[in-house]
Amino acid sequence: MTAGNIFFGQGSLCSCVYDYFTDENRVLKKDPQQDYHLEYAMENSTHTILAFSRELHTCDTNDKSITESTVRIIWAYHHKDMGEAGQNYHGSNRGSKSLRLLNPEKAEISSASLPYFDLTNKDVPIPDKDTTYWCQMFKIPVRHEKHHVTKVEPLIQKGHENLVHHILLYQCSSNLNDSVLDYGHECYHPNMPDSFLMCETVIFAWAIGGEGFTYPPHVGLSIGTAGDPQFVLMEVHYDNPSYIEGLIDNSGLRLIYTPVLRQYDAGVIEAGLWVSLFHNIPPGMPEFVSEGHCTLECLEEALGAERPGGIHVFAVLLHAHLAGRAIRMRHFRNGEEQKLLAYDDEFDFNFQEFQYLKEERTILPGDNLITECHYSTVDRIRMTWGGLSTRNEMCLSYLLYYPRINLTRCASIPDIMEQLQFIGVKEIYRPVRTWPFIIKSPKQYKNLSFMDAMNKFKWSRSEGLSYNELVLKLPVNVRCSKTDNAEWSIQGMTALPPEIERPYKTEPVICSSSSCLCCSILLTLLFVVHVTARTIGNMRPFV
């Protein structure tokens, strides 16, 4: 059931907002409980502006609660007002947009006079296919003197606002050289340059409908010194569902920086499941949960050595691929669960950007962080594997924090042999000489790779549920990495996942309209309408 359809009607006596919902047959019905309230309205020859309010939690079964998760807004309009006969069909005047309505706003600091540099694609030919991921390596131009990046803005070529779907910027190994700058290439392609695989940590993310990212006033992304990013990889997702031919794009990013240094350098930690084939999801599952562990052992060693007083997280990017449905970043201290660090229970792969935290969160030595990812594979008939392709999966959180320490990855890998035992594998060929490795027994899997064996197994939903319960309890291999693939000593050790409550219990919803003033949110929608000369005469301002 979809809830919260807003209809605006202008009559001779009043301007009104109506609360509607749709049933399973997509039939619009007026909600008996009217929860949306018109605050302001204005119309002229080109715009209709509505401001309306609603409680975050209405206790109306026909409404969806408004949370910090992604909200999908669907809009439509007709140039004629709704009459007694009901709404007019919108035709092609419709669209949708994913938003995070409760993402805290950050105060803008004027950057008009600050220097900047642009990272933009150069005449990239967009294939006439639905989806293209294009990767281009760049060298950071500011060298030999420390500066702080204070803001990153999208630069979308005019007319390509619906073509450029998202942009990710990755920090690359400093062991690269200028030879990697020669050309761009399609990402995740068998022939893509090996250097692209040396760029793994996301330092910026933008998605269609999103804005630029502004660092807090006391924090900046350091550039210009030997310990800072020298090379970055920009990944652009082009969405061309109409298979338009001959498109050329020059979109990218603008990084605004300042020589006036801020108090702290920002760092990025990749937490969650190490991207590998050891992360796998059976087919036909309406829900399957994976967990990636930033273990207390890794945080104890890294933070204990470099920042015993802890680090402070101010933004989080939650990342999965097309099967992802929900992601939570859970935080534990001394065995006690803290408030969720970040979450998105309505995850949209095509809307990925850093979430500002309402309050900075301190992470201490010995804490546990768990990235919990929920997937749906009901439309798939083969295993889904961890990997780089969008048809593969990931379960990651990127933490923006300060002050920067030498910890870039805090992740885990589940034990593969116990996973294989679930489907009846008894022995593999040793020593392992091929990848994926080959199974020796039993007979039905003999000489098959472990991927082929997992696909051969006859998965049912009950088998998938049992497998899920097993995987969540398996020992994990700790990944605890420094810059340029150096490792903390804890790397490679085996650890048991902490005993935690599953599933996560959400906080009870308080939906009494009198509970608090802060439970209201004011939404403002701006509709830009192309109006013909014939209809202009019928329009007038109103309040």
Side-chain angles (χ1 to χ4, degrees), residues 385-536:
W385 302 94
L388 299 179
S389 166
T390 56
R391 291 290 293 179
N392 296 138
E393 267 309 327
M394 293 185 179
C395 182
L396 295 171
S397 301
Y398 293 95
L399 311 181
L400 280 179
Y401 72 94
Y402 69 89
R404 184 176 66 181
I405 62 173
N406 195 4
L407 177 63
T408 59
R409 180 178 289 113
C410 183
S412 67
I413 306 175
D415 185 283
I416 186 62
M417 291 310 300
E418 292 202 43
Q419 295 179 57
L420 291 175
Q421 288 173 12
F422 179 86
I423 65 168
V425 171
K426 296 180 179 179
E427 188 179 6
I428 66 172
Y429 284 102
R430 297 183 185 274
V432 174
R433 301 184 186 278
T434 60
W435 183 256
F437 55 74
I438 305 300
I439 294 171
K440 187 174 182 180
S441 68
K443 185 176 180 180
Q444 71 262 33
Y445 299 136
K446 185 177 177 64
N447 295 329
L448 293 180
S449 72
F450 76 82
M451 295 179 70
D452 290 336
M454 293 285 270
N455 276 316
K456 185 176 180 179
F457 184 75
K458 296 187 182 303
W459 291 99
S460 64
R461 289 190 179 180
S462 61
E463 293 280 11
L465 287 172
S466 297
Y467 180 67
N468 202 170
E469 291 178 6
L470 168 74
V471 169
L472 293 177
K473 297 176 182 177
L474 290 179
V476 298
N477 185 281
V478 175
R479 317 307 293 175
C480 194
S481 307
K482 300 180 180 180
T483 305
D484 289 336
N485 296 320
E487 302 170 350
W488 289 95
S489 66
I490 207 73
Q491 172 107 344
M493 76 161 281
T494 298
L496 289 174
E499 293 185 5
I500 63 173
E501 187 173 13
R502 297 188 183 95
Y504 172 80
K505 283 191 176 180
T506 57
E507 296 181 7
V509 168
I510 300 174
C511 50
S512 171
S513 59
S514 61
S515 58
C516 60
L517 292 176
C518 64
C519 290
S520 293
I521 181 171
L522 183 68
L523 307 177
T524 303
L525 300 183
L526 175 66
F527 296 91
V528 181
V529 185
H530 174 71
V531 184
T532 64
R534 183 170 63 86
T535 58
I536 287 178

Side-chain angles (χ1 to χ4, degrees), residues 295-302 366-368 478 480 490 493 495-496:
T295 64
L296 66 89
E297 292 87 357
C298 178
L299 291 176
E300 185 75 58
E301 181 179 13
D367 284 2
N368 271 93
V478 175
C480 194
I490 207 73
M493 76 161 281
L496 289 174

